Amino acid sequence: MKSTENLLATVRQVPADVEIVSHRLMLRAGMIRQLASGIYSWLPTGLRVLRKVENIVREEMNRAGAQEVLMPSVQPAEIWRESGRWDFFGPELLRFQDRHKRDFCLGPTHEEVITTLINNEVRSYRQLPANFYQIQWKFRDEVRPRFGVMRCREFLMKDAYSFDVNRAGMEQAYQVMYDAYCKVFERLGLDFVAVAADSGAIGGSVSTEFHVLADSGEDGIGINTDANFASNVEMIDLPPSGPPKPAEESLALVETPTVRTIEDLCKFLSVPSSQTLKTLLVQGENGPVALLLRGDHELNTLKAVKVSGIESPLQMAGADEVEKATGAQSGSVGPIGLEIPMYADYATREMSDFVCGANQREHHYTGVNWGRDLPEPPFVDLRKAVNGDPCPNDPTKSITVKRGIEVGHVFQLGTKYSESFDATCLDANGENAVMWMGCYGIGVSRIVAAAIEQNNDDSGIIWPEPIAPFLVCIVPINFQQSADVARISVDVHDALTQAGVEVMLDDRDDRPGVKFADMDLLGIPHRLVVSDRGIANGQIEYKRRGKEAVEHLSLDGLTEELLQRINH
Ligand code: ATP
Ligand code: MG
């Protein structure tokens, strides 16, 4: 492939709102372009990488015995009403009507379609176990599309669905997929962890997420390798805390002008955020409910909706409701004298002499103590786990929280969808049995961005070989001026192509510096430089992307030498 025949589309500048490195590099390297918020076109270089990821996923699915299918992306509302998700999925489901005013949606996932499909095709346990997968574009109208193809609205997913006659079969299918996922992420050259997870809108009981560890990750993963523990922080149960230390301060009402946030408050009073108590108002069945947390802790919405009387999905109370219930604005709300149902996080129990809002505009209380200044509310587990929290597998050890990007998710669905659709088959006794299902997703397009988050430097991307758009690039010096350079460059290009290696020959009439910068940006693993001086010595210059050393390889036997180096 010659660069003059391939739309390279590299650029220097990216829009100012680009926040993370993979988004910036995918734009700069000419891999993607945005058409609308969260909707992207893939340019030739980007598509090459996407297809490589897709093929590795496909190979491992086939190897694991799954069969490829392709289902429609436009889905009728009826099947979503049948599963009860037409309402439950909420605004992430993009809905529209056809010319006959019938409701449709763009598929965000395919449990409804596959269950309807397989129910009609599978009649007997003899046709099971079976697992069907597709690699297809999904649409989710995300609240806040961001980070390029990492969290977008239209994205490529591999989704697989297993069908079995009983629970044991489903568990076995789940294990096979779990192992196939590990194989996929190993082959992609990614540093990943498998973590216990919540099942979210998909449903079911047991589920595992696969995360690529990177600082830009949106999920917190609690890890203790010694205790063989890894879990999404959302899923980590925390123990009750002990009683507080005796009160030392007396209760005082202090003026806190212009204080709006916990950060402002800590600065103004010179106290650490762990000494403050924040009060969040959420929607309950009979009006707002107050949730109390230590200022430095974050509310775990999965835990909050388990508290009786709190509505699911969790919704924060609006500014008007806050004012009506407390008489104050959100920055000054506190539990003293508040007459609505209240729950406090376990970790707040051991707090003494703390600071909280006073339900008066720009006022807070200091020296607050449970019992003396306000009755103890019920203490429950409400927060997200943080660094240093006890490890559930071994409470003598603690967890470290790392950031992760979710690239895959496997679920045991049980009979949730097969019951909704009455998807049964005849079992060995000739009786009708509801099928047991599993579902398994991989974010194919998100993986491209995740791989870049893990593999880059100041000059650009450093592709793992299995997903590099090209394995070798050839940078000729004076391609247009030197017949020798042109001839050798083309010869090397042709020989490598013959040997099955994907090569990019940068034949543009540009300065070498420009070409080096572009090839580094593109992240091509092996770089060859062809020059008159090298040719005179029978040599070619070689450099591995990401390494400093420049070597000189003999032109004789060059193809064999490179084949040796590829995959090493
Ligand atoms: P998230 O918590 O990131 O929203 P999810 O739990 O909604 O993910 P699943 O329904 O399990 O995701 O989808 C399977 C995979 O599809 C995810 O593991 C992820 O890699 C990918 N994915 C989900 N939403 C998006 C998105 N908006 N943009 C790109 N990839 C996505
Ligand atoms: Mg989601």
Side-chain angles (χ1 to χ4, degrees), residues 92 140 142 151:
E92 255 187 44
R140 295 184 183 175
E142 298 275 353
R151 180 163 300 284

Side-chain angles (χ1 to χ4, degrees), residues 6-20:
N6 194 70
L7 183 68
L8 267 188
T10 53
V11 290
R12 291 203 193 294
Q13 296 297 331
V14 296
D17 61 353
V18 170
E19 292 171 78
I20 62 169

